[in-house]
Amino acid sequence: AESSDDTRYVAHVMPWFENSTRIEGNHWCDPDYGNSYYESVLGRYGSGDPAVIRKQLLMMRAAGIDGVWIDLQFPSWVDSIRAIVQEATAMRMGFAIVVDNYARADIFDLVSEDLREFMDMPNYYRVYGRPVLPYYEHPERWGPATLPAWRALDGHRPFVIGTYAAHADTGLPSGYDSLFFWNSPDLGWLEAYYKSPHFDVKVGAIFRGWREAYADRKHAP
């Protein structure tokens, strides 16, 4: 989006699925992760499979989705992300990279050059001319998040969109440009986010439902 007056509907994509028949690490009802209760209509696909990506993007576009925000936790995910970006670009869909420091506190440093390359693409989402940088923070694991010190290749500082859950009681911290809302059953909390005067660009979230494969993982709701 070029300004806060433009609304874009995007899908948050997790590029961690493997088409392997093994259980461990492929995120298909993996007892170590427990992130996929339901099977896909496409079967146990691999996130980097171009044919699967095309089908997924076609379904998104038919549903009115403008583009994708692609999660990035490990440098090893970059190849799958490139495959998604390639197909999204061919379909003239927008994209952005969601830096997610759940697994690595130093993820920004590890993928900085890849991020800057992605941000230089014409279909990368921008706000006020700046490339957006959604940041899914996990302060309970690493403490206060470290923001990138670098700039995009065009010289702009990324438009950093942090995690509302990490800053709900403090407002907009220094170095951040906005916050995004993650899923929660607390509608009062959601209303407080939408009405907050601390940021003019808001990123909400809509979920059809959430059924955790392994409740003891304590993902909420």
Side-chain angles (χ1 to χ4, degrees):
E2 286 299 330
S3 77
S4 59
D5 294 330
D6 295 326
T7 298
R8 295 287 183 268
Y9 296 97
V10 302
H12 184 183
V13 174
M14 302 300 298
W16 58 16
F17 292 104
E18 301 176 12
N19 58 7
S20 170
T21 56
R22 69 190 181 92
I23 297 292
E24 294 78 10
N26 66 13
H27 282 282
W28 291 110
C29 287
D30 184 334
D32 289 332
Y33 296 87
N35 293 304
S36 175
Y37 188 93
Y38 300 105
E39 292 289 350
S40 168
V41 295
L42 302 178
R44 291 196 172 195
Y45 60 80
S47 291
D49 184 334
V52 170
I53 294 168
R54 283 193 291 273
K55 291 177 182 177
Q56 291 174 324
L57 293 177
L58 283 170
M59 288 188 286
M60 291 181 198
R61 195 164 64 177
I65 300 295
D66 180 77
V68 289
W69 280 17
I70 313 168
D71 208 87
L72 174 54
Q73 290 184 7
F74 296 97
S76 60
W77 291 9
V78 170
D79 287 344
S80 291
I81 291 173
R82 289 189 186 281
I84 297 170
V85 169
Q86 181 175 341
E87 297 300 329
T89 301
M91 293 188 184
R92 299 183 180 180
M93 297 177 72
F95 80 97
I97 306 301
V98 180
V99 176
D100 184 338
N101 74 352
Y102 180 82
R104 298 290 302 255
D106 58 349
I107 186 63
F108 268 126
D109 296 331
L110 295 175
V111 298
S112 60
E113 292 307 310
D114 296 298
L115 288 171
R116 296 175 78 218
E117 179 185 341
F118 285 132
M119 289 177 177
D120 205 41
M121 295 182 66
N123 57 325
Y124 194 92
Y125 283 118
R126 308 179 79 84
V127 173
Y128 306 128
R130 297 162 55 193
V132 302
L133 183 55
Y135 190 8
Y136 193 176
E137 310 161 72
H138 298 273
E140 73 282 359
R141 295 175 66 86
W142 313 113
T146 300
L147 299 181
W150 44 265
R151 290 176 175 263
L153 293 177
D154 64 3
H156 285 97
R157 186 176 66 82
F159 190 91
V160 179
I161 306 175
T163 311
Y164 181 68
H167 309 286
D169 299 326
T170 60
L172 190 62
S174 175
Y176 291 75
D177 298 286
S178 186
L179 300 174
F180 73 85
F181 189 85
W182 189 235
N183 58 312
S184 170
D186 187 342
L187 296 182
W189 198 41
L190 177 62
E191 184 178 11
Y193 168 77
Y194 284 133
K195 291 183 176 180
S196 173
H198 296 297
F199 28 88
D200 58 353
V201 176
K202 295 183 172 68
V203 183
I206 298 176
F207 289 78
R208 182 180 68 173
W210 183 292
R211 185 175 185 185
E212 180 55 73
Y214 298 94
D216 60 357
R217 297 294 296 174
K218 303 188 186 303
H219 292 176

